[in-house]
Amino acid sequence: MHAAPRRRSTLTLVTVFLVSLAPVLAAVIFYLNPQWWPRDGSNYGTLIEPQRDLPAPAQLALATLDGQPYDLRQLRGKWLLMAADGGACPESCARKLFIIRNSHASQGKNVDRVARIWFITDDAPVPRKVLDAYVGTVMVRARPEQLSRFLLDAGASSSLAGPMWLADPLGHLMLQFPADADPVKVRGDLSKLIYNSRIG
């Protein structure tokens, strides 16, 4: 006489259990099948894997424009927007410096959490108009072969003069932006990282 209500009660309990278990089971199955994961990340820049640490002066000898040694590691604790090019700074170079400067300036109250670096890969003098336009950019001369080991993947076909890069406040090189990068997307990546980060 009481069997039917008991069966209904058991069925309800089992149903509630299965409904509760379904999302967990789905998450486990999805996790174990990476081929089902979305291919497009939310970042515009390409993740650098494995990340590379900022090199010591022995691995990357840098000098300021007046010839003083410069240790890139002194900027640890800041997000670093970086570009590399010859000192003559053709239009493509000026465009990168412009993107880096504007991405930096757009961070509002977080502007002090970012530094911008221009690695000058030769001994050519820097035009006065470039010096004046990009005051605040750390301009340092670097040896291209040393810089390539830091910024470019081994066997990479791209040249130093093409991309831009971003390092995190812990001193890890983490993103590479393409040549002819979209300035709005570069700025978006930086803003998102700074907003979500508790470091730097």
Side-chain angles (χ1 to χ4, degrees), residues 5-63:
R6 243 193 324 267
R7 275 197 301 272
R8 279 197 298 273
S9 176
T10 303
L11 183 59
T12 301
L13 188 62
V14 169
T15 302
V16 169
F17 175 75
L18 291 175
V19 167
S20 302
L21 185 63
V24 176
L25 189 59
V28 169
I29 292 171
F30 192 70
Y31 177 78
L32 295 175
N33 291 277
Q35 69 271 19
W36 297 343
W37 297 359
R39 292 295 178 201
D40 295 328
S42 59
N43 50 288
Y44 171 62
T46 302
L47 283 172
I48 293 173
E49 296 177 322
Q51 293 178 347
R52 298 187 284 280
D53 292 337
L54 295 180
Q59 286 79 47
L60 181 60
L62 300 174

Side-chain angles (χ1 to χ4, degrees), residues 66-137:
D66 59 359
Q68 297 303 307
Y70 190 87
D71 187 349
L72 196 61
R73 296 173 303 173
Q74 72 187 44
L75 295 174
R76 278 178 65 109
K78 292 182 179 287
W79 294 90
L80 304 183
L81 279 168
M82 301 175 288
D85 220 303
C89 198
E91 185 179 343
S92 58
C93 163
R95 181 179 185 274
K96 290 184 295 185
L97 296 181
F98 177 81
I99 292 172
I100 286 173
R101 184 191 66 189
N102 284 13
S103 296
H104 179 199
S106 71
Q107 299 311 310
K109 65 181 182 180
N110 292 314
V111 73
D112 291 335
R113 297 172 66 186
V114 183
R116 53 190 198 268
I117 318 295
W118 177 26
F119 297 109
I120 303 168
T121 55
D122 57 24
D123 295 323
V126 178
R128 171 51 57 185
K129 63 180 181 179
V130 174
L131 293 173
D132 292 343
Y134 300 106
V135 171
T137 299

